[in-house]
Amino acid sequence: MEAKLFGLIGKNISYSFSKKYFKEKFSAELFNDCSYENFDIESIDLFPEIIENNPNLKGLNVTIPYKETIIPFLDKLSTKAQLIGAVNVIRFTKKGKLKGYNSDYYGFKKSIQPLLQPHHKKALILGTGGAAKAVAFALDELNILYSFVSRQPKINTIDYKYINATTFDNYQIIINCTPLGTKTNPKEFPDIPYEFLTSNHLAYDLIYNPTESQFLKKAKKKGALIKNGYEMLVLQAEKAWRIWNK
């Protein structure tokens, strides 16, 4: 039987969750014909070479910084991936076509839902990349209003320098979708006035390594409820596995 290859497309991804997770899954669940590799590329233009050089590829995950720039290389998108405007799962169809999906929004939605309380009505999304788009889509489904926070002026976006006590009165959920504070730069954190956070706030960080980022530590000190991105990653990975094996 031909081995089935799965993998992750990204840049500087040696630390990535996916490879370890799927290798352990394949071993534990006796998927002996499956393997998982990292495809660390400097530019998305190298993506076609990966497809060409690995004819036994059956599915891919996509991570920073290619969740949006991968789209032109795909043959089609699921309805939700199209609405979100970002892809983190690619399925190879029976006809050999590449179809893009988004399981990030699903992982985020399922992992934040149990934490939501009646006073959690509005969210600040720090960052505007592919992950932030998936988070926004999930918040729409949860009927939570949101604004993005960015240094780039865009519609429905607040500049970091305008965040103050009033902002945190109006927004009870703060979600870090930036890479600030990851294992490679653990001392970094988004530049927001943490002193205005309270026990009414929920701080969610898509980062999972370290377990408690500086963003979460600072929020926790102010009594906020905190959660990292580990459960989201597990949920989106399992969703990806179901998509690949449709």
Side-chain angles (χ1 to χ4, degrees), residues 2 9 11 15 32 39 48-50 53 62 68 73 94 104 116 127 131 144 171 183-184 226 239:
E2 187 193 21
I9 303 282
K11 189 173 180 178
Y15 68 90
N32 300 324
F39 297 102
E49 285 180 29
I50 292 167
N53 297 335
V62 185
E68 295 156 293
F73 293 88
K94 287 189 173 72
D104 276 338
L116 295 174
I144 290 173
Y171 293 87
K183 186 185 177 185
T184 45
I226 65 167
K239 179 78 166 173

Side-chain angles (χ1 to χ4, degrees), residues 44-198:
I44 195 61
D45 297 328
L46 299 171
F47 176 68
E49 285 180 29
I50 292 167
I51 304 303
E52 207 175 307
N53 297 335
N54 297 279
N56 56 336
L57 262 173
K58 301 297 178 201
L60 287 165
N61 293 118
V62 185
T63 190
I64 291 172
Y66 302 131
K67 291 183 184 187
E68 295 156 293
T69 53
I70 193 85
I71 291 173
F73 293 88
L74 306 177
D75 298 301
K76 47 187 177 177
L77 298 180
S78 72
T79 306
K80 284 184 175 171
Q82 200 158 8
L83 289 168
I84 292 166
V87 161
N88 74 305
V89 181
I90 299 169
R91 182 167 75 92
F92 290 63
T93 69
K94 287 189 173 72
K95 292 178 181 173
K97 301 287 187 190
L98 302 183
K99 185 171 181 180
Y101 296 80
N102 192 299
S103 68
D104 276 338
Y105 93 90
Y106 169 86
F108 173 76
K109 183 182 173 184
K110 289 281 183 193
S111 64
I112 198 171
Q113 224 165 351
L115 303 177
L116 295 174
Q117 296 166 25
H119 69 272
H120 291 140
K121 295 194 184 329
K122 289 177 83 176
L124 281 181
I125 302 173
L126 311 182
T128 55
K133 288 180 173 180
V135 163
F137 188 84
L139 292 174
D140 275 333
E141 290 196 341
L142 292 165
N143 295 315
I144 290 173
L145 299 169
Y146 58 85
S147 296
F148 293 102
V149 181
S150 173
R151 303 208 183 284
Q152 312 300 320
K154 291 179 184 173
I155 295 165
N156 189 27
T157 301
I158 302 167
D159 192 300
Y160 279 93
K161 65 186 177 207
Y162 296 124
I163 295 178
N164 54 29
T166 309
T167 317
F168 283 148
D169 283 345
N170 291 323
Y171 293 87
Q172 306 79 25
I173 307 166
I174 322 296
I175 304 153
N176 179 32
C177 298
T178 77
L180 291 171
T182 49
K183 186 185 177 185
T184 45
N185 293 295
K187 290 182 179 169
E188 292 183 343
F189 50 86
D191 184 16
I192 58 171
Y194 294 90
E195 64 269 25
F196 300 126
L197 289 174
T198 67

